[in-house]
Amino acid sequence: PRPPRQRPEPLSRRRRTSGRGMHPAWRAVLLTYFVTHVPATLILDLQGLALELFPPALQNMHGLYVATFKDPLMGERPLWFRSLLSCEAVFQLPFFFAAIYALYKRDNRIRIPMIVYCSHVVTTMVPILAVLGTHESLSVHERATLLSFYLPYLLVPLAAGLHFALVPRPFGEPGATGRAPRPKAA
């Protein structure tokens, strides 16, 4: 007779105690998010602060984006939006490099700074998405297009913030490889 089959532990409990850390696909999503966020911030977002400081070629790119997608925030550049872009320049941009390094090295010390970053970004995205979703000058299609551009900047930090808040060691125990152990040879 076969021994009774044991029920596996719930995934949430296994994730916290396995020591293996973050799933490689999720780590790849986060790395991609931060690596692509650097040029997006430097080339497009910071032009919302001081368009005149950028070379003509980048100003033309900004103008083409605004004309093509009718982004009222990047076109009108209201003061409250520029204040959020200032936070992006001063706090977020330097953090992108720390996050890339920590994700690459699987460094658990990024946990608290990541929670702070994610909380900040999620909070700033609420008014941005509210304006884009309700701006009277935009058609339904234009709203949907702009929301599809901006929404990942809410969803990824929201999911990352929850992950880093709920998992005490996001990259597993020190010395863990992140891979399942190999079966022992007989």
Side-chain angles (χ1 to χ4, degrees), residues 10-159:
L11 182 58
S12 61
R13 189 175 301 140
R14 278 186 284 160
R15 170 58 87 195
R16 283 192 212 130
T17 60
S18 69
R20 291 195 320 238
M22 177 180 300
H23 192 281
W26 177 232
R27 185 170 155 260
V29 166
L30 292 177
L31 271 168
T32 301
Y33 171 86
F34 285 109
V35 167
T36 61
H37 211 315
V38 171
T41 297
L42 291 173
I43 294 170
L44 185 62
D45 295 353
L46 294 186
Q47 288 193 58
L49 273 178
L51 184 61
E52 59 282 351
L53 296 179
F54 285 81
L58 291 179
Q59 289 182 26
N60 292 340
M61 185 187 310
H62 177 269
L64 180 63
Y65 166 78
V66 171
T68 303
F69 298 107
K70 314 266 189 306
D71 186 333
L73 295 175
M74 291 303 279
E76 299 166 12
R77 298 175 7 195
L79 179 59
W80 68 268
F81 183 63
R82 285 182 287 153
S83 69
L84 296 181
L85 292 176
S86 297
C87 289
E88 185 173 1
V90 173
F91 300 114
Q92 293 182 33
L93 184 60
F95 177 76
F96 297 159
F97 295 99
I100 292 166
Y101 179 82
L103 287 162
Y104 180 75
K105 292 289 191 175
R106 296 176 175 94
D107 189 342
N108 285 319
R109 293 176 298 175
I110 199 68
R111 180 175 179 256
I112 299 302
M114 184 70 76
I115 294 168
V116 171
Y117 164 80
C118 292
S119 300
H120 168 72
V121 171
V122 168
T123 303
T124 63
M125 288 307 299
V126 171
I128 291 171
L129 294 172
V131 167
L132 295 175
T134 60
H135 203 277
E136 295 170 358
S137 71
L138 298 172
S139 69
V140 173
H141 180 276
E142 291 164 341
R143 285 181 191 161
T145 300
L146 287 170
L147 288 172
S148 73
F149 291 162
Y150 282 83
L151 204 54
Y153 297 101
L154 169 73
L155 298 178
V156 171
L158 180 62

Side-chain angles (χ1 to χ4, degrees), residues 154-170:
L154 169 73
L155 298 178
V156 171
L158 180 62
L162 289 171
H163 174 83
F164 280 84
L166 296 173
V167 180
R169 294 193 182 274

